[in-house]
Amino acid sequence: MSKRCGECEQTKFALEKDSAEFRIWYEGHQDVCSATHVGSSGAMEVNAAIKLWERSESIGFRDTTLLSDGDSKSFLELKERNVYGNQKPQHKKCPSGIDSWRFYQSSLARGKKPGFHKDWVKTPINEEYLPKFLPIYQRLASSELLSRCVRGRTQNSNEALHSMIWNRCSKENSASRSRVLIAISEFNVGTLKALKTFQDINCLATSLSSEHLAFFTDYRRTYFTERK
């Protein structure tokens, strides 16, 4: 979400905000406008969190963890809204014993009554989705997969993606949506393929020097990744 749209600001300056020309232009622009929030920056973060959590089930999953920079407004708002509601507890796969990381099993092992499930599990898994989640869980917990992580050569894809975006889109200056898409494309398919794709979309020729530079960028990225 963003409070600012570079195209709108430039067009307001060129056509004047209150002019009929600007209103006509904006009618065709508003569906792709980068300004998707009106209000304070703090409220924007809260609204973005609510929007993401509320639409998650419609695309087949639920969010379970909220990572933020210390501001608890988003967390408190999500808790207040109780987006997913409460379901009956499922603890068959939870480790038992006093040292169990699950509150339910740990309480039973200590001879205590477990607390309310709604106070401990904020986003319980719906039973309807268990057949889809269970194979993923079993695959991630398999000895074969875990043995490949022993050497510490795994990579946090989110951190790598964020690094690519920040390298292409400075935090000091507002970046357009297309610039962010280019950064994501470079991360997914490489600089060379992303370059050719965007040049083709815009009906532009790709120079040989640009291709060489993009190829070298991909080679260097792959080389240093394999050395880790």
Side-chain angles (χ1 to χ4, degrees):
M1 301 181 73
S2 174
K3 298 170 58 178
R4 180 178 178 273
C5 176
E7 291 185 64
C8 285
E9 292 181 357
Q10 293 178 5
T11 308
K12 286 177 184 178
F13 179 80
L15 301 179
E16 296 185 356
K17 179 180 179 180
D18 298 324
S19 66
E21 290 82 359
F22 177 80
R23 289 195 294 271
I24 294 173
W25 173 85
Y26 185 74
E27 287 180 0
H29 169 73
Q30 58 184 347
D31 290 338
V32 294
C33 183
S34 298
T36 56
H37 174 76
V38 177
S40 67
S41 298
M44 179 171 64
E45 181 179 344
V46 174
N47 291 339
I50 293 172
K51 184 176 181 179
L52 289 172
W53 284 60
E54 287 183 339
R55 76 179 185 184
S56 62
E57 285 191 305
S58 65
I59 53 179
F61 71 94
R62 287 184 173 188
D63 296 299
T64 60
T65 305
L66 176 67
L67 300 178
S68 63
D69 56 3
D71 188 347
S72 61
K73 292 180 181 178
S74 299
F75 171 77
L76 294 175
E77 184 64 23
L78 288 169
K79 183 178 180 181
E80 179 67 23
R81 287 175 177 258
N82 193 22
V83 177
Y84 298 135
N86 295 313
Q87 304 290 337
K88 67 179 182 179
Q90 299 284 343
H91 299 287
K92 296 178 181 179
K93 295 293 183 179
C94 300
S96 58
I98 295 177
D99 297 326
S100 174
W101 49 268
R102 292 304 295 159
F103 79 95
Y104 190 88
Q105 297 286 14
S106 177
S107 297
L108 291 179
R110 296 173 186 272
K112 298 181 179 180
K113 181 180 179 180
F116 291 106
H117 195 263
K118 65 179 182 179
D119 295 332
W120 288 87
V121 182
K122 308 302 179 182
T123 52
I125 298 176
N126 191 310
E127 286 186 272
E128 296 179 4
Y129 301 112
L130 284 178
K132 296 183 178 180
F133 284 137
L134 189 57
I136 298 175
Y137 164 79
Q138 292 174 331
R139 185 168 68 251
L140 292 176
S142 67
S143 299
E144 179 184 359
L145 177 62
L146 294 176
S147 64
R148 290 156 52 188
C149 303
V150 173
R151 291 183 295 171
R153 298 187 63 183
T154 56
Q155 182 183 38
N156 187 321
S157 298
N158 287 331
E159 290 184 1
L161 175 58
H162 292 164
S163 176
M164 178 71 75
I165 293 176
W166 295 135
N167 284 335
R168 301 295 184 272
C169 310
S170 172
K171 292 183 179 181
E172 284 72 26
N173 300 307
S174 178
S176 65
R177 181 183 303 176
S178 60
R179 196 72 192 92
V180 176
L181 290 176
I182 291 174
I184 295 175
S185 298
E186 288 187 39
F187 174 79
N188 288 331
V189 300
T191 304
L192 180 59
K193 188 171 182 179
L195 172 65
K196 290 183 176 180
T197 299
F198 278 89
Q199 290 293 87
D200 291 342
I201 291 175
N202 293 284
C203 300
L204 298 173
T206 305
S207 66
L208 189 60
S209 59
S210 296
E211 289 189 11
H212 285 168
L213 180 60
F215 174 81
F216 176 75
T217 301
D218 289 338
Y219 172 79
R220 183 176 58 182
R221 177 184 174 191
T222 304
Y223 175 76
F224 283 108
T225 299
E226 292 178 348
R227 288 189 60 185
K228 291 182 178 179

